[in-house]
Amino acid sequence: LVDLGASLVDITIPEPKDLHAVYRDIVNYEAFNVHKELFLLHGHEYGPEALQRMKSGQKVTDEAHQTALNLKKEITALANRVFQTVDVIALPTQPTTAPLLGSEMARFKGEIVRAPAIRARFAHFASFTGFPGLTVPMGFNSEGLPAGLQIIRPAFGESLGLRVGHAYQQSTDWHKCHPVGI
């Protein structure tokens, strides 16, 4: 992106770990309440991740949900201020490269961790705030596993985000490459 004329600016966005906890309470509470009737009748038929989400959502109180929604408004307002100094936020799509297909494990900070626990941590920022986000391929790690570049814009700012993503893809060939031997 720098080669295309972008300037890098260090910014601070809400801590993904805190964001994840607030996001989880909102998503799990709302998922459970939307699916409550079906879940109570057919919960035994749910897959492990959906079952865990429903059980977690069942434990989130109305008050905790409202608190999470209030925090979401505060975090979104703080995040909107970032766009007073930058045009786009560019960061990895997730904190690791993709795990092997079917694997529950990934390498993170030199350790092997459960992939579901961290895979969407960075993507939650855009989803949580309602900001449009785009992911484009940006290369592979030493094991040949792909990584993505996430480009985020404020609400209704999709046009510039798409142009940045397109310019990046025109200047690289990552979108034409496939993992080798996987």
Side-chain angles (χ1 to χ4, degrees):
L1 293 176
V2 170
D3 289 346
L4 296 172
S7 298
L8 296 182
V9 177
D10 286 333
I11 59 170
T12 300
I13 58 175
E15 170 61 39
K17 186 176 181 183
D18 298 336
L19 187 73
H20 180 70
V22 175
Y23 177 89
R24 185 187 59 234
D25 280 354
I26 293 170
V27 169
N28 291 350
Y29 174 92
E30 293 177 1
F32 174 73
N33 282 285
V34 166
H35 297 275
K36 184 179 192 175
E37 198 172 302
L38 189 61
F39 175 71
L40 295 175
L41 291 172
H42 301 282
H44 62 283
E45 296 176 32
Y46 281 60
E49 283 190 48
L51 182 61
Q52 181 58 42
R53 176 167 285 172
M54 293 300 116
K55 287 180 178 180
S56 293
Q58 212 171 2
K59 296 175 187 174
V60 179
T61 65
D62 292 341
E63 294 79 19
H65 177 246
Q66 188 58 54
T67 297
L69 289 174
N70 292 339
L71 283 168
K72 176 184 175 189
K73 284 181 190 174
E74 289 176 29
I75 291 169
T76 301
L78 288 170
N80 265 312
R81 289 190 205 134
V82 171
F83 289 107
Q84 293 173 357
T85 56
V86 299
D87 294 321
V88 300
I89 297 173
L91 69 159
T93 302
Q94 60 184 31
T96 67
T97 52
L100 289 172
L101 187 60
S103 174
E104 290 288 315
M105 307 309 280
R107 185 174 305 283
F108 179 63
K109 294 185 177 180
E111 296 181 27
I112 301 296
V113 297
R114 283 185 77 305
I118 61 165
R119 70 174 167 225
R121 182 160 290 184
F122 293 170
H124 283 168
F125 174 73
S127 178
F128 180 79
T129 57
F131 295 162
L134 169 71
T135 295
V136 293
M138 69 171 190
F140 299 88
N141 71 4
S142 61
E143 297 167 340
L145 298 170
L149 170 66
Q150 183 179 189
I151 300 163
I152 301 173
R153 286 280 297 144
F156 306 106
E158 295 88 346
S159 178
L160 179 58
L162 291 169
R163 289 195 315 269
V164 169
H166 180 72
Y168 180 81
Q169 284 199 243
Q170 295 303 302
S171 68
T172 69
D173 287 330
W174 295 120
H175 60 288
K176 297 177 183 176
C177 300
H178 299 280
V180 178
I182 298 175

